């Protein structure tokens, strides 16, 4: 993970979240870094290198984090 001096300008959240403020939000930087934060506590965020982010998304799509 890396850390940027300035926060991203545009955060996005899933359309499934609706009007809720408790969803996870993501934002991309020009250099490919992806920031992730909790919409309810937006004072901190995690940042991932492009390869790290792609591996996380692929694992999520495979269901690796599903709670069955």
């Amino acid at each position: 993970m890396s850390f940027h001096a300035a926060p991203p300008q545009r955060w996005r959240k899933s359309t499934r979240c609706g009007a809720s403020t408790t969803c996870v939000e993501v934002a991309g930087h020009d250099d490919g870094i992806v920031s992730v934060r909790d919409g309810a506590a937006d004072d901190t965020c995690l940042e991932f290198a492009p390869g790290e982010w792609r591996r996380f998304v692929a694992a999520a799509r495979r269901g690796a984090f599903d709670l069955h």
Side-chain angles (χ1 to χ4, degrees):
M1 285 189 294
S2 64
F3 298 94
H4 281 82
Q9 295 297 312
R10 180 173 155 85
W11 291 95
R12 296 177 296 143
K13 62 182 177 179
S14 170
T15 56
R16 292 183 182 195
C17 191
S20 175
T21 59
T22 60
C23 293
V24 172
E25 299 175 324
V26 298
H29 295 269
D30 291 339
D31 58 2
I33 298 294
V34 177
S35 295
V36 181
R37 73 178 182 182
D38 179 345
D42 62 1
D43 56 340
T44 60
C45 67
L46 298 174
E47 294 182 329
F48 299 89
E52 293 173 320
W53 183 248
R54 284 190 298 273
R55 287 188 295 276
F56 170 77
V57 171
R61 287 182 177 151
R62 285 192 313 273
F65 310 112
D66 291 355
L67 301 174
H68 313 265

